[in-house]
Amino acid sequence: MIKTVIKHDGTREDWQGVKFSRWNEWAARDLGIDWPTIMLDVVNDCPSTITSHDLQLKAARPIVRGGTWNHYLMAGAMYAPYLHKK
């Protein structure tokens, strides 16, 4: 379970599940994807400390495996901020 997220600038932030949920809800808007189940699996599979970049990548991968166009759209919405910051 995640306890700390290391942000892009190196600052550490306590895990805020609500913040992560809002981000996923935004990415899944109007796509009909059961994102809460996917995200619960992602969060439970993460170490206690993770970088925001790693979390973004970990979140996008299982969504792509859904194999539908809507899954690809959601994964892209989650992956785009990673690319932008990189």
Side-chain angles (χ1 to χ4, degrees), residues 45-79:
D45 189 42
C46 288
S48 62
T49 301
I50 190 167
T51 64
S52 58
H53 286 182
D54 288 345
L55 182 58
Q56 286 171 310
L57 291 176
K58 259 187 154 348
R61 284 185 187 126
I63 296 167
V64 168
R65 283 186 232 130
T68 69
W69 183 250
N70 284 351
H71 283 91
Y72 298 148
L73 290 173
M74 181 179 176
M78 297 181 78
Y79 188 66

Side-chain angles (χ1 to χ4, degrees), residues 1-12:
M1 184 69 164
I2 303 171
K3 293 183 181 180
T4 306
V5 176
I6 301 170
K7 305 302 277 181
H8 180 68
D9 64 1
T11 59
R12 291 175 174 261

Side-chain angles (χ1 to χ4, degrees), residues 23-33 35 70 73-74 77:
W23 179 50
N24 290 289
E25 186 177 354
W26 165 80
R29 72 191 177 289
D30 302 324
L31 296 177
I33 296 173
W35 62 266
N70 284 351
L73 290 173
M74 181 179 176

Side-chain angles (χ1 to χ4, degrees), residues 15-44:
W15 169 248
Q16 298 176 27
V18 172
K19 197 173 181 181
F20 191 59
S21 272
R22 280 187 299 210
W23 179 50
N24 290 289
E25 186 177 354
W26 165 80
R29 72 191 177 289
D30 302 324
L31 296 177
I33 296 173
D34 181 23
W35 62 266
T37 302
I38 296 169
M39 293 305 105
L40 186 59
D41 290 342
V42 168
V43 170
N44 287 333

